[in-house]
Amino acid sequence: MSSIAQRPQRADARRNREKILAAASVAFAESGLEAQVEDIARRAGVGVGTVYRHFPTKEALVEALAAEHFEDLAAIAEAALEEQGDAWEVFAGAVWRSANAAAADVAWCEIIGGHPTAVQAASRGRQRLAGAMTTLIGRAQAAGLMRADATVDDVRTIMCGFGHVAAAQRAGGALDWERYLEIALDGLRAR
Amino acid sequence: MSSIAQRPQRADARRNREKILAAASVAFAESGLEAQVEDIARRAGVGVGTVYRHFPTKEALVEALAAEHFEDLAAIAEAALEEQGDAWEVFAGAVWRSANAAAADVAWCEIIGGHPTAVQAASRGRQRLAGAMTTLIGRAQAAGLMRADATVDDVRTIMCGFGHVAAAQRAGGALDWERYLEIALDGLRAR
DNA sequence: CGTTAAGATGAGGTCCGGTTCCGCTTGGTG
DNA sequence: CACCAAGCGGAACCGGACCTCATCTTAACG
């Protein structure tokens, strides 16, 4: 059973996998999750067949990138755990940093906004993110700076709205995601 | 030139137009704007060709319904203009009523959320809505109950987020649009 | 009741985008 | 260097959704 010690992946294959991931990242950032597989292949300089050799389905590609993004968000939140000072500012800073990271990337906005495919996957990063956020929220509440009934889900909900506002803004709507966050975070503050 | 006084539209045609509009309304409410033309035709009890006779394109159908929805929202806001009492409560009440009207209708959420097609159209209703909202906001600010820098665009932004949160909620996410609105509106309140 | 043009129909055209598949290429190994 | 399986390419396939059109139906009017 455990004789799966096959010959390791060929070097060019490993390289192609990376190229595809990078190309997909760019394409999705520009065009959102409806970017086309053929476009991704072209950017990566490979044929569509190669993309499908590495990722059985377009959805798998999306999941891989979504997982990556959630890991990034988790890293931001975990870094905030180390910060000293006003607990509200630490929390809000983490949210702002997350938003800034995501805002320029259409697909990232869609993922945060709750795109069905992305919601399933990325459980590991999402859990790390939720864990760190819970702590940040707890501290801000303990300091009396955040409304006592706030939960991680509230933050998730706000970030869902954020994702779509940012996406709509990039699509040309006269919206402003920074303003959105300002208001929404104010709504989480203690009165 | 002005001899366009053709024979009036046939009675069955007028009836069919209404049936199509009603069917589309239901289908879109259930499945969102990606509901299929064939499904709409089936619900209306007509052939697809008939749908296309009345609406040159699916987009035209969406626009017609979007316009209707914005008129409804405008009516809600204008009704609020007549209300007496706490200016903040009047404003918030109008927003809550709008949200309640839209929340059960997937397409309505998508439209409010800033669906590209819908944004173009419906200019008349949107203007009425914006006008009434501006007055409501002004009154609440004059009473010192709303943050002084709030604008109609802020409300639009919040409602964009709302639309998507509500849509995501219907799609199964563990989100809660009522909680969302509670927080967002709190963010608009004067401190 | 006959005539006519508006209206209805729905099978099929067309386009689009994900996925497959088979013949060719190539890195790795003996 | 010879060999071969892993890997690659991209034309073809396929399903799904919007839309068209040639043919049939019927409301309206004299």
Side-chain angles (χ1 to χ4, degrees):
Chain A
M1 280 294 175
S2 50
S3 62
I4 324 175
Q6 297 133 330
R7 171 183 316 204
Q9 197 180 36
R10 251 164 64 170
D12 58 339
R14 217 172 319 121
R15 231 177 304 132
N16 274 339
R17 191 192 155 85
E18 289 314 309
K19 282 200 289 184
I20 289 165
L21 230 24
S25 180
V26 174
F28 284 141
E30 261 177 37
S31 322
L33 295 176
E34 80 286 6
Q36 291 159 31
V37 176
E38 198 179 320
D39 180 41
I40 292 169
R42 200 178 318 112
R43 287 177 195 252
V46 303
V48 264
T50 305
V51 173
Y52 281 97
R53 162 160 294 268
H54 290 280
F55 300 92
T57 200
K58 179 184 174 180
E59 196 167 308
L61 198 44
V62 170
E63 280 172 20
L65 286 171
E68 212 173 86
H69 283 154
F70 276 108
E71 297 288 340
D72 290 351
L73 294 182
I76 289 173
E78 285 170 358
L81 288 176
E82 309 298 326
E83 282 176 41
Q84 303 299 322
D86 182 293
W88 170 265
E89 291 303 331
V90 171
F91 163 77
V95 173
W96 276 103
R97 247 163 285 143
S98 301
N100 268 299
D105 184 316
V106 184
W108 203 342
C109 289
E110 291 173 0
I111 289 167
I112 288 179
H115 187 86
T117 300
V119 172
Q120 319 287 7
S123 51
R124 185 201 137 105
R126 297 194 68 173
Q127 274 172 23
R128 278 177 56 204
L129 176 57
M133 270 294 169
T134 304
T135 305
L136 291 175
I137 291 168
R139 289 183 190 167
Q141 284 171 327
L145 299 169
M146 183 186 283
R147 54 194 294 168
D149 64 349
T151 69
V152 221
D153 282 336
D154 292 341
V155 177
R156 190 150 70 202
T157 304
I158 286 173
M159 290 312 278
C160 167
F162 156 79
H164 285 293
V165 170
Q169 180 175 351
R170 295 198 105 240
L175 268 41
D176 179 351
W177 67 259
E178 298 190 84
R179 177 72 175 158
Y180 167 87
L181 248 199
E182 195 182 318
I183 293 171
L185 284 180
D186 242 41
L188 280 181
R189 252 208 183 99
R191 292 212 151 255
Chain B
M1 277 299 174
S2 50
S3 61
I4 324 176
Q6 296 132 330
R7 173 185 313 207
Q9 197 179 36
R10 254 164 61 170
D12 58 339
R14 218 171 319 121
R15 231 177 306 128
N16 275 338
R17 190 193 157 84
E18 289 315 308
K19 281 199 291 185
I20 290 165
L21 231 23
S25 179
V26 174
F28 283 141
E30 260 177 40
S31 323
L33 294 177
E34 79 287 4
Q36 291 159 32
V37 176
E38 198 178 319
D39 180 42
I40 292 169
R42 200 179 318 112
R43 288 176 195 252
V46 303
V48 263
T50 306
V51 174
Y52 283 98
R53 161 164 295 271
H54 290 281
F55 301 92
T57 200
K58 180 184 174 180
E59 196 166 309
L61 197 45
V62 170
E63 280 172 21
L65 286 171
E68 212 173 87
H69 282 155
F70 276 109
E71 297 288 340
D72 290 352
L73 294 182
I76 289 173
E78 285 169 358
L81 288 175
E82 311 297 326
E83 282 176 42
Q84 304 298 324
D86 182 295
W88 169 265
E89 291 304 329
V90 172
F91 162 77
V95 172
W96 276 103
R97 248 164 284 143
S98 302
N100 268 300
D105 184 317
V106 186
W108 202 343
C109 289
E110 291 173 1
I111 287 166
I112 288 179
H115 188 88
T117 300
V119 171
Q120 320 286 7
S123 50
R124 185 202 136 104
R126 299 193 65 170
Q127 275 171 23
R128 278 177 56 203
L129 175 57
M133 270 296 169
T134 304
T135 305
L136 292 175
I137 291 168
R139 288 182 191 167
Q141 284 171 328
L145 298 170
M146 183 186 284
R147 53 194 294 169
D149 64 350
T151 69
V152 221
D153 283 336
D154 291 341
V155 177
R156 189 150 70 202
T157 303
I158 287 172
M159 290 311 280
C160 166
F162 156 80
H164 285 293
V165 169
Q169 180 176 350
R170 295 197 106 240
L175 269 40
D176 179 352
W177 67 259
E178 298 190 85
R179 178 71 176 157
Y180 167 87
L181 249 198
E182 194 182 319
I183 293 171
L185 284 179
D186 242 43
L188 280 182
R189 252 210 183 98
R191 291 212 153 256

